[in-house]
Amino acid sequence: TEPWKLTLLGPKGETPTLTPRLAKYRGASLGEDGRSLVFEWTIFLENEDKWPVRAIVRLPEAGSELSQWSLSAQLPKGWVISQLEYPCISVSRHEGSKGIMSVGYGAEYPLGDSGMISSTYPSCTGAMQLILSHSPKGCFYLSADDRNGGAKWLQIRCSSSALTFVQKLDTSFGWTDAKGNFELPWNALFGFNPGTWEETVLRWYRPFALSCRWGEKSILERYITPWMLDADVWIRPQDVN
């Protein structure tokens, strides 16, 4: 599995899509904090094979259960990243694996031998920035530590032997500065918990949600406009002109 996929937009309207297979791998190094590995590739743009893409995997402290995944790049003047997929993490598929998403009326979804399940955040098909698979052996967990709640897709892509966890998003041009430095403004979090999926979400996602501005106050502490409280029923129309 290639860990990243970048779609770029150039000053003349160029839209190349690049992956590690189309880049030159420069190796890995230990980060300055001693708790991260920095994997570096260079991509070929503007007739130069020198533009770095760095994927950083970090354990924030000794014994950390969740790894943090971040991405940065340096681009020629006038270039931006318009869409990315990162991280893309494949794991061996456990027997009986099912998907967990914050979608619609249910949480558990079947995982086929091909295709994928995908949760769009924020929307009615994705109320939380997470996606999991669970089996009798435990849970694989991917979430975004994004306290601004930016739009993204969280996906599990399936094969008969593996599950690939992917964060996909359209990026802001503002994430690339005037010098061409790009940085994804949050970490993705990935881990495995031998417990149930309910225990996993309570352990890892709930503390994050309650620390965000949309979750730090309870329903009783928030001001909610009276007409909303007085509504007897909500209807969500679809395909209505």
Side-chain angles (χ1 to χ4, degrees):
T1 300
E2 296 185 278
W4 52 265
K5 179 179 180 181
L6 307 178
T7 300
L8 285 76
L9 177 62
K12 298 179 182 178
E14 307 95 324
T15 57
T17 296
L18 301 176
T19 67
R21 195 168 301 178
L22 300 173
K24 184 176 289 185
Y25 182 56
R26 299 294 185 179
S29 59
L30 188 65
E32 294 181 359
D33 59 4
R35 297 193 181 277
S36 58
L37 282 174
V38 182
F39 301 89
E40 183 171 313
W41 297 258
T42 53
I43 56 178
F44 186 86
L45 292 171
E46 300 287 359
N47 296 316
E48 293 183 293
D49 184 16
K50 72 172 189 178
W51 306 102
V53 175
R54 299 183 180 94
I56 301 142
V57 183
R58 182 172 182 266
L59 294 176
E61 57 188 25
S64 296
E65 297 177 306
L66 282 173
S67 52
Q68 299 177 345
W69 299 64
S70 59
L71 185 83
S72 64
Q74 186 176 359
L75 304 172
K77 184 177 180 180
W79 288 78
V80 294
I81 295 173
S82 60
Q83 189 179 80
L84 68 81
E85 295 181 11
Y86 179 82
C88 306
I89 305 169
S90 286
V91 298
S92 295
R93 179 171 180 158
H94 293 163
E95 185 176 354
S97 291
K98 295 185 178 180
I100 300 294
M101 297 188 293
S102 55
V103 178
Y105 295 106
E108 185 181 85
Y109 293 82
L111 298 173
D113 290 340
S114 62
M116 70 176 178
I117 61 172
S118 182
S119 179
T120 304
Y121 177 90
S123 75
C124 62
T125 65
M128 299 181 226
Q129 301 180 72
L130 58 77
I131 196 166
L132 304 90
S133 72
H134 80 107
S135 74
K137 291 186 177 181
C139 298
F140 290 104
Y141 170 95
L142 174 68
S143 71
D145 190 14
D146 176 12
R147 296 175 186 277
N148 290 319
K152 58 184 65 70
W153 296 271
L154 295 167
Q155 302 174 338
I156 300 177
R157 300 174 184 175
C158 307
S159 74
S160 59
S161 60
L163 300 175
T164 301
F165 290 77
V166 179
Q167 176 185 237
K168 178 180 178 180
L169 59 140
D170 295 322
T171 64
S172 168
F173 294 172
W175 299 347
T176 304
D177 66 20
K179 296 182 179 180
N181 297 311
F182 168 88
E183 187 168 354
L184 182 63
W186 64 81
N187 293 317
L189 305 176
F190 188 79
F192 176 79
N193 179 29
T196 66
W197 72 263
E198 294 94 339
E199 293 169 349
T200 302
V201 172
L202 286 172
R203 184 173 184 172
W204 288 341
Y205 193 81
R206 189 173 191 272
F208 160 77
L210 294 180
S211 69
C212 296
R213 61 179 182 269
W214 56 82
E216 61 186 3
K217 291 183 179 180
S218 70
I219 293 293
L220 295 177
E221 293 174 316
R222 302 176 199 172
Y223 173 76
I224 300 175
T225 184
W227 69 263
M228 186 178 295
L229 293 174
D230 293 339
D232 294 320
V233 64
W234 285 90
I235 299 176
R236 178 177 178 265
Q238 185 174 352
D239 302 324
V240 176
N241 294 326

